[in-house]
Amino acid sequence: MPFIPHTEDEIRAMLDTIGVERIDALFDEIPAKLRHGRLENVPDGLSESEVTRLAARRARADGEALCFLGAGAYDHHIPAAVWQIATRGEFYSAYTPYQAEASQGTLQLLYEYQSMMTALTAMDVSNASLYDGASALAEAVLMAVRVNRKSKARRVLLPRALHPAYRDTVRAIVSRQGIELVELPYDPASGQTDPAALDELLASDTTAVVIAQPNFFGVLEPVDALTERAHAAGAVAIAVVNPLALAILKPPGEWGDEGADICVGEGQPLGVPLASGGPYFGFMCCRQSIVRQMPGRIVGRTVDRDGKPGFTLTLQAREQHIRRSKATSNICTNQGLLVTAATLHMAILGADGLARTASACHANLNHLSERLCALPGVQSRFASPVFHERVIQLPIPAAELLKLLAAYNILGGYDLSNDYPELENCLLVCATEQRDETDIDAYLAKAGRILGLRNEAKCPVQPKF
Amino acid sequence: MLLFEQSVAGRRAAAQAPRQAVAPDDIPAGQLRATPPALPEVSELQAVRHYTRLSQKNFSIDTHFYPLGSCTMKYNPRGCQEIAALPGFIARHPLAPERHSQGILACFHELQEILKDVTGMAAVSLSPAAGAQGEFAGVAMIRAYHESRGDTARNEILIPDAAHGTNPASAIMCGYRVREIPTGADGDIDLDALAGALGAHTAGIMLTNPSTLGVFDRKIERIAEMVHQAGGLLYYDGANLNAILGKVRPGDMGFDVIHMNLHKTFSTPHGGGGPGAGPVGVSARLEPFLPIPMVGCNGDDYYWLTEKERPQSIGRLSAFAGNAGILLRAWAYARMLGRDGMHRVAEFSVLNANYLMKRLTDAGFQAAYPERRATHEFIITLKREAAELGVNTMDFAKRLLDYGVHAPTTYFPLLIPECLLIEPTETEDRRTLDDFVTIMQCIAGEARETPEVVKTAPHKLPVKRLDDVLAARQLDLRWRPENPPPGSSD
């Protein structure tokens, strides 16, 4: 019996102790007609070897593509030590550290994680994680509405240049609480938030403004000016940032005169593999003054009976298991294992390693986009500086190029035309520190060939799919 | 010692970062960081040793019996971890084209089908990232269903007083009012109170069955009938699905929506507080509202179902497709169990719980519901020990740690004073359960003879009992070089 240790003798003895004849008798309080136990669509059990071979066949068929696709999930090097330590059973198979004395490993690690995240973001406090970047932003919007009591409008500005899936997620999670989400347009020349449109929208009561750095186009926003405008209008400034980029970019705690109020983002670039989109982790940091409105677990340092330092979950009066319907959020389980990996990742790379990685991404992207833009009919769409992604205008629909590149096992980027009809033929490309000259050569060779043939208006290559 | 305190300026793990440092000189200076973040500067070995040692300060399933009620701390098979880490899965970009994703989509589709079958639901979406997000999705679907029928006066969700705290918190996030329904003395829901609460304002009820009291509500069919007659829907909190897996299906009990906690019932790791996965299943009338993305299959090919195919969906709950790697582990676990293995999960988790409850009551401990069958978990109340000996449940829990057992869930559910919610799970053997009884007897003896030992426990862990009040009063939430630890005299 997979994973069940009982022998026949033990079963007999245990049933005798209980005083029943058969295991089925233990279900006798369940109305008989509900107990049918048919499972027609569950296949027969497999051994570990069989299921591993089946999975390996499927994984091999999916293959490993050369990845120039980012759009919220990035292919970075992860030191081998990170997951070898994170998957130690003592981390992997523990749960939420309710029994603090028996969980000092996880708790101290979370305290160190919170310390690292506040260092990276230059914010006062961090929680111990949320599900992912998009849902963390939804929680930040709800938090901003709780925090900003002066604003009566429950109106939040979301940039059009924010990740489309983040906008969808925020809408799905906050829309049933009477919060109005207003789209903040971008400047079609710079790809940055349109300052005139922002001023116009801020003329009405605004609860919060979301500022993404970089934004979905990879473009760096004038974060100081945006934060100050938000604050001048009495709105909470919510930063959405790539944590790796913060190794080289100005941290949200230093934006404008006072810094952003809440900072969230996707933690995946800090030691979490692409893994088909999850599990990742969302992070959230904020000002000290609003920490009691923050959702999620928070670890604090305290002392034990002997005065020795130790760690424990704190401010639990914000949480669902204490406050129930009055909690700051319904979140319970978060993404502890991913935070374990991220803490190891940040510890091993350090500030210097993260900055080198971020700078290498930036340099590789610049190199890739310069070479792409040298192809006929290809140009950069926006004039602004970027981090490690750039919008490239093609002479053909992006979907066509991507389909042909995929036949060569290259993920060539993200087709923007579905989410942004105004960006026809536009492709969002990404290069991380892992995309070396050989990879970029391969991309250019194939893209150049596809675009060249297409320019000749005849295409002898049939896509394989 | 914190890793920060081991930091030496200029030390780094040189093998792990690009060898060349390239200045990003086309980025305007005003956008750049002025000073590097104050992260620890340590060698790779220092980091590995530090976190290995920290791990050794944890209790975990792999090292300790962990009968934490309502959390289903069963063995997390290592094979499932290895499958999720296969190169084709772990390196796959979430937005890779469907043509390059048929393998993983096949696994997801099979998991959807298996979960449909074990819950008796018409359709399943795997996307919620945890149980609480599944609850949110479920209640949001209830609301979307009523609104789609123009039935907009329903503004209240009923929740038993024994429910998990996530239930009321989730209902509030969906814009509902919450009304508590009391539990009767026998542990089942008070039907008179339910009848009094139902009405034209009832959107639905959120139930856990078996409940957090460790008993199966015997009147579930009547409850379903009453709620449906009032025009409400029934939500099933799947936290306790382990107790009935393959035996009874929530769909057959009359539930319209269910979330499952794959990190409980399907044995994916708890990871020190997550990740989880909280797929939702629904009856046919709620299918259009399921959260996206889902996986479709047209016979030969698998594909994503998005807002295009599901225009009435409550929407997207995360940037991609939820906790994919957890779904893969759950798929591998479900395939290894197979049909017969599913039944055995319920049978042996219930056998272990009833055996342990009987042994403990024989040893003089008081069960909260001695006349009832235990399900996969049960409650012991220590109110007599607390009153007579002044040794409370928290003292017992902390003393258990000294004996190398993780404490059961304490002081939950709130209805039962001085309670321990004990869930042994099916993967523990008889000797482990017997040892637990012996340890509980030893602690009861200590409580009588040397109560101070119990009241001041733990004694053998890395720290003694921690001051939670100080933690909340003098917030120390991050390391600062200038701040000494709290309580230090200088």
Side-chain angles (χ1 to χ4, degrees):
Chain A
M1 296 188 286
F3 315 119
I4 292 174
H6 302 59
T7 64
E8 285 303 323
D9 288 347
E10 285 174 323
I11 295 168
R12 188 73 264 147
M14 292 170 79
L15 289 172
D16 287 348
T17 302
I18 299 167
V20 294
E21 276 295 310
R22 297 166 49 244
I23 291 181
D24 260 356
L26 300 173
F27 293 85
D28 57 5
E29 288 192 1
I30 300 176
K33 73 173 201 204
L34 295 177
R35 278 184 276 146
H36 66 63
R38 276 193 310 272
L39 293 176
E40 283 147 7
N41 293 321
V42 179
D44 289 335
L46 300 175
S47 67
E48 183 176 298
S49 164
E50 287 168 319
V51 75
T52 303
R53 282 181 283 133
L54 171 61
R57 264 202 307 282
R58 289 178 175 175
R60 264 199 308 279
D62 288 353
E64 286 171 79
L66 186 55
C67 188
F68 290 90
L69 174 57
Y74 303 100
D75 180 24
H76 295 294
H77 170 67
I78 302 168
V82 168
W83 280 92
Q84 287 191 17
I85 305 295
T87 52
R88 283 179 62 93
E90 299 94 326
F91 284 135
Y92 187 77
S93 72
Y95 201 16
T96 303
Y98 295 118
Q99 290 294 338
E101 297 85 357
S103 315
Q104 284 298 296
T106 289
L107 285 163
Q108 181 174 335
L109 179 140
L110 291 173
Y111 179 86
E112 293 185 1
Y113 162 80
Q114 291 172 187
S115 304
M116 291 179 188
M117 291 311 296
T118 51
L120 203 54
T121 58
M123 303 290 291
D124 296 334
V125 290
S126 165
N127 74 4
S129 77
L130 298 166
Y131 305 131
D132 81 329
S135 59
L137 177 58
E139 289 280 9
V141 166
L142 294 172
M143 180 178 170
V145 171
R146 290 193 296 272
V147 163
N148 192 345
R149 297 214 185 90
K150 283 187 192 145
S151 167
K152 302 295 171 217
R154 297 170 79 86
R155 177 171 174 270
V156 177
L157 307 187
L158 279 189
R160 184 166 172 78
L162 175 71
H163 196 308
Y166 281 43
R167 286 184 278 144
D168 290 347
T169 302
V170 171
R171 192 171 304 114
I173 294 178
V174 314
S175 63
R176 288 162 197 87
Q177 297 192 54
I179 294 168
E180 183 193 3
L181 300 172
V182 180
E183 184 173 282
L184 179 55
Y186 64 87
D187 177 305
S190 70
Q192 296 173 329
T193 297
D194 181 345
L198 175 61
D199 285 343
E200 203 180 313
L201 288 168
L202 285 175
S204 311
D205 181 4
T206 303
T207 312
V209 179
V210 173
I211 304 167
Q213 180 74 330
N215 69 24
F216 187 60
F217 305 138
V219 164
L220 299 182
E221 294 274 5
V223 288
D224 292 328
L226 295 174
T227 306
E228 281 174 25
R229 281 188 156 110
H231 282 159
V236 169
I238 303 172
V240 184
V241 293
N242 177 326
L244 178 63
L246 294 185
I248 57 171
L249 297 180
K250 181 184 276 190
E254 295 172 7
W255 292 0
D257 289 338
E258 296 167 12
D261 304 287
I262 306 170
C263 165
V264 293
E266 174 53 68
Q268 182 271 332
L270 299 175
V272 179
L274 287 170
S276 303
Y280 295 170
F281 72 95
F283 59 89
M284 177 182 273
C285 301
C286 72
R287 276 184 203 295
Q288 180 85 36
S289 57
I290 55 177
V291 66
R292 284 183 164 75
Q293 291 299 334
M294 189 148 73
R297 311 284 187 200
I298 302 175
V299 174
R301 187 159 58 165
T302 183
V303 294
D304 72 1
R305 291 171 48 86
D306 295 345
K308 183 178 163 191
F311 303 87
T312 187
L313 292 173
T314 194
L315 296 178
Q316 295 191 70
R318 302 164 296 114
E319 294 190 65
Q320 48 76 28
H321 62 284
I322 308 287
R323 290 278 279 176
R324 302 178 74 85
S325 65
K326 300 204 167 45
T328 53
S329 166
N330 68 343
I331 193 166
C332 178
T333 290
N334 54 40
Q335 306 287 111
L337 188 65
L338 292 310
V339 165
T340 306
T343 307
L344 275 147
H345 188 83
M346 287 188 276
I348 292 173
L349 268 86
D352 181 73
L354 292 175
R356 280 171 187 254
T357 304
S359 302
C361 294
H362 178 73
N364 288 350
L365 182 271
N366 277 347
H367 181 57
L368 168 69
S369 56
E370 274 164 28
R371 289 185 61 188
L372 271 174
C373 291
L375 296 173
V378 178
Q379 55 183 334
S380 176
R381 178 67 179 74
F382 299 120
S384 309
V386 297
F387 173 46
H388 67 354
E389 286 179 278
R390 190 185 287 281
V391 178
I392 301 287
Q393 176 107 41
L394 301 170
I396 61 169
E400 277 188 37
L401 175 68
L402 291 176
K403 196 169 174 186
L404 292 166
L405 284 172
Y408 294 113
N409 213 18
I410 295 173
L411 299 182
Y414 183 84
D415 174 11
L416 286 163
S417 64
N418 292 326
D419 302 299
Y420 300 92
E422 69 275 19
L423 296 178
E424 202 185 351
N425 295 359
C426 282
L427 177 72
L428 181 69
V429 290
C430 175
T432 65
E433 85 288 357
Q434 307 235 72
R435 293 294 81 81
D436 59 18
E437 194 68 30
T438 312
D439 297 340
I440 293 174
D441 283 347
Y443 187 43
L444 261 293
K446 302 296 189 248
R449 181 139 185 265
I450 293 162
L451 294 173
L453 289 167
R454 174 60 202 250
N455 280 349
E456 289 162 23
K458 55 187 179 198
C459 184
V461 181
Q462 287 301 311
K464 286 183 185 164
F465 307 117
Chain B
M1 192 187 224
L2 295 169
L3 191 67
F4 287 86
E5 291 158 350
Q6 301 169 40
S7 180
V8 174
R11 184 168 289 158
R12 57 193 201 90
Q16 300 301 345
R19 281 172 289 138
Q20 306 298 323
V22 206
D25 42 19
D26 62 320
I27 297 179
Q31 302 270 39
L32 290 173
R33 183 164 196 133
T35 50
L39 298 179
E41 297 179 77
V42 296
S43 69
E44 190 171 326
L45 171 61
Q46 280 178 301
V48 166
R49 188 174 290 160
H50 176 72
Y51 290 108
T52 301
R53 284 189 178 160
L54 280 193
S55 77
Q56 292 167 334
K57 295 183 178 183
N58 268 4
F59 278 32
S60 68
I61 300 169
D62 284 4
T63 51
H64 298 79
F65 180 40
Y66 211 128
L68 191 65
S70 212
C71 295
T72 312
M73 301 299 282
K74 57 171 135 177
Y75 172 58
N76 307 143
R78 284 279 160 181
C80 301
Q81 155 68 11
E82 200 143 302
I83 282 168
L86 285 166
F89 292 150
I90 200 88
R92 180 182 167 277
H93 193 286
L95 302 174
E98 285 164 351
R99 273 288 126 214
H100 287 249
S101 312
Q102 290 297 300
I104 197 166
L105 290 177
C107 295
F108 290 165
H109 193 264
E110 283 176 14
L111 182 61
Q112 285 177 191
E113 293 299 309
I114 289 170
L115 296 180
K116 271 163 62 176
D117 204 17
V118 298
T119 58
M121 291 291 168
V124 163
S125 166
L126 301 174
S127 70
Q133 210 184 42
E135 288 181 26
F136 170 84
V139 180
M141 285 189 277
I142 289 175
R143 185 162 164 169
Y145 170 78
H146 290 311
E147 285 175 354
S148 74
R149 293 154 43 93
D151 192 357
T152 52
R154 298 184 182 275
N155 59 0
E156 192 171 85
I157 293 279
L158 307 179
I159 299 177
D161 50 6
H164 295 108
T166 47
N167 289 181
S170 299
I172 294 289
M173 283 185 81
C174 292
Y176 280 121
R177 287 196 324 226
V178 169
R179 186 192 290 201
E180 269 200 1
I181 304 297
T183 302
D186 60 357
D188 290 344
I189 284 187
D190 181 336
L191 286 191
D192 292 337
L194 176 64
L198 286 167
H201 51 276
T202 305
I205 186 168
M206 298 179 82
L207 287 177
T208 314
N209 195 25
S211 71
T212 63
L213 301 169
V215 295
F216 188 92
D217 198 309
R218 294 163 291 194
K219 292 171 252 170
I220 184 60
E221 292 163 294
R222 177 72 191 126
I223 294 170
E225 199 183 340
M226 289 165 67
V227 174
H228 283 150
Q229 266 171 9
L233 298 180
L234 280 90
Y235 181 94
Y236 184 92
D237 178 332
N240 292 344
L241 189 63
N242 215 59
I244 57 165
L245 193 66
K247 286 284 177 194
V248 188
R249 309 191 308 171
D252 299 335
M253 293 184 223
F255 284 92
D256 302 283
V257 198
I258 171 175
H259 90 261
M260 293 149 264
N261 299 84
L262 298 187
H263 48 296
K264 298 179 183 177
T265 316
F266 287 83
S267 209
T268 67
H270 286 76
V280 281
V282 290
S283 56
R285 57 181 164 166
L286 289 171
E287 185 171 354
F289 308 108
L290 279 166
I292 52 165
M294 296 167 58
V295 179
C297 176
N298 63 10
D300 297 323
D301 291 325
Y302 299 96
Y303 53 91
W304 290 111
L305 296 167
T306 65
E307 62 273 23
K308 287 197 186 76
E309 296 81 9
R310 299 281 175 150
Q312 287 182 281
S313 165
I314 58 157
R316 172 179 282 289
L317 302 173
S318 60
F320 301 109
N323 283 337
I326 298 304
L327 302 174
L328 280 171
R329 288 173 176 86
W331 167 82
Y333 178 73
R335 291 301 311 264
M336 276 193 274
L337 289 191
R339 188 184 305 113
D340 294 339
M342 298 282 168
H343 301 302
R344 285 194 295 257
V345 164
E347 288 170 359
F348 287 86
S349 63
V350 169
L351 174 68
N352 275 0
N354 277 283
Y355 174 75
L356 190 54
M357 182 168 87
K358 183 70 167 60
R359 292 269 349 255
L360 284 169
T361 50
D362 286 350
F365 290 97
Q366 190 180 347
Y369 296 99
E371 305 306 319
R372 301 287 308 265
R373 289 274 182 231
T375 55
H376 66 314
E377 61 187 355
F378 61 95
I379 297 173
I380 292 290
T381 171
L382 300 173
K383 64 181 176 195
R384 197 181 57 220
E385 288 81 353
E388 290 172 7
L389 308 170
V391 175
N392 65 22
T393 296
M394 189 55 76
D395 301 330
F396 255 82
K398 298 300 184 192
R399 189 60 178 152
L400 277 169
L401 305 178
D402 277 336
Y403 284 95
V405 173
H406 193 283
T409 298
T410 54
Y411 297 101
F412 180 84
L414 310 171
L415 298 182
I416 312 290
E418 298 295 335
C419 67
L420 287 171
L421 180 61
I422 303 171
E423 180 181 5
T425 84
E426 72 279 11
T427 59
E428 297 296 340
D429 71 344
R430 182 186 173 200
R431 175 175 294 180
T432 305
L433 307 182
D434 289 341
D435 288 349
F436 180 76
V437 176
T438 307
I439 292 168
M440 286 290 286
Q441 286 174 299
C442 286
I443 299 174
E446 290 174 342
R448 281 188 296 272
E449 285 148 32
T450 52
E452 274 313 299
V453 171
V454 184
K455 284 193 221 176
T456 55
H459 304 280
K460 298 179 182 169
L461 274 76
V463 290
K464 295 197 172 172
R465 209 176 297 191
L466 289 159
D467 188 341
D468 289 331
V469 176
L470 179 75
R473 193 177 294 153
Q474 283 181 34
L475 287 180
D476 176 354
L477 308 179
R478 68 179 164 108
W479 176 81
R480 292 181 178 89
E482 67 278 14
N483 274 20
S488 57
S489 49
D490 47 1

